[in-house]
Amino acid sequence: MSRRSRLVRPFASLALAAATVAGGVAVGEAQAAPELRNYVKTIRCDSANPFPAPRVPITVDVWNQVRFPSDGLPGPAIELIASSPRPQGLLPNTGIYTMSTTVNWHNVTTGKRGVVRVPTRANRITWQAVLHPGAGQVNFRITQRIGALVFVPMVNPQVSTCRGSARA
């Protein structure tokens, strides 16, 4: 049972009790809303900083069973959502990053392979990739190319790689 279902269920019972006390007719227990995606895990994918600043800590949240993926294609899918905890740069809120993220994935159950490329520009490290591998165990390799935006994009690019897996 998901965390959200555990939180919603007591409130659904309260609604059922309130309807009964108010004289309403209840035809069974209220159902919790179905989950739109399932959290799998968080992986670390830290990178060197293209600005003269400390290394950038980056977490990538892995979600599967995504019913309505952000790319607009039909689900289910796997979503990878990366973020750094705060803006990095020479001074707070002054650094702009350009990112080019590539995710190579392999569904080891079906043998299907694919590549997703995500270009991003923001004042902190953040990107989102959606994989449509079909059902099965999926291994993926994330390659992040992160550069500073200083009059032109991708100045002093830094490359980092990490791996993960999820069941689709």
Side-chain angles (χ1 to χ4, degrees):
M1 180 184 315
S2 72
R3 182 175 183 269
R4 183 166 187 257
S5 295
R6 285 189 298 252
L7 292 175
V8 171
R9 186 154 295 163
F11 294 110
S13 298
L14 285 173
L16 179 62
T20 304
V21 169
V25 179
V27 183
E29 184 178 340
Q31 295 289 326
E35 294 295 331
L36 300 179
R37 63 184 181 178
N38 180 53
Y39 171 77
V40 177
K41 60 185 161 189
T42 298
I43 58 177
R44 288 292 298 259
C45 203
D46 298 351
S47 174
N49 200 324
F51 291 102
R55 191 167 179 80
V56 182
I58 302 168
T59 58
V60 180
D61 292 333
V62 180
W63 301 83
N64 69 0
Q65 301 172 9
V66 180
R67 292 181 48 200
F68 303 104
S70 62
D71 62 1
L73 296 174
I78 295 174
E79 283 186 340
L80 308 174
I81 303 172
S83 62
S84 61
R86 63 190 177 286
Q88 306 282 325
L90 299 172
L91 298 171
N93 298 319
T94 61
I96 301 292
Y97 292 98
T98 53
M99 295 148 274
S100 176
T101 306
T102 303
V103 180
N104 293 284
W105 57 266
H106 176 219
N107 185 326
V108 295
T109 305
T110 64
K112 187 176 177 183
R113 294 178 183 270
V115 178
V116 176
R117 290 181 179 84
V118 182
T120 313
R121 183 177 295 165
N123 70 340
R124 64 188 204 119
I125 308 299
T126 182
W127 53 263
Q128 181 172 349
V130 180
L131 315 179
H132 293 276
Q137 182 65 30
V138 179
N139 296 333
F140 51 86
R141 186 181 75 236
I142 301 166
T143 304
Q144 301 175 111
R145 186 170 182 243
I146 302 169
L149 176 64
V150 183
F151 304 111
V152 295
M154 208 54 80
V155 173
N156 190 27
Q158 304 295 315
V159 178
S160 63
T161 303
C162 56
R163 297 176 185 274
S165 64
R167 182 159 283 287

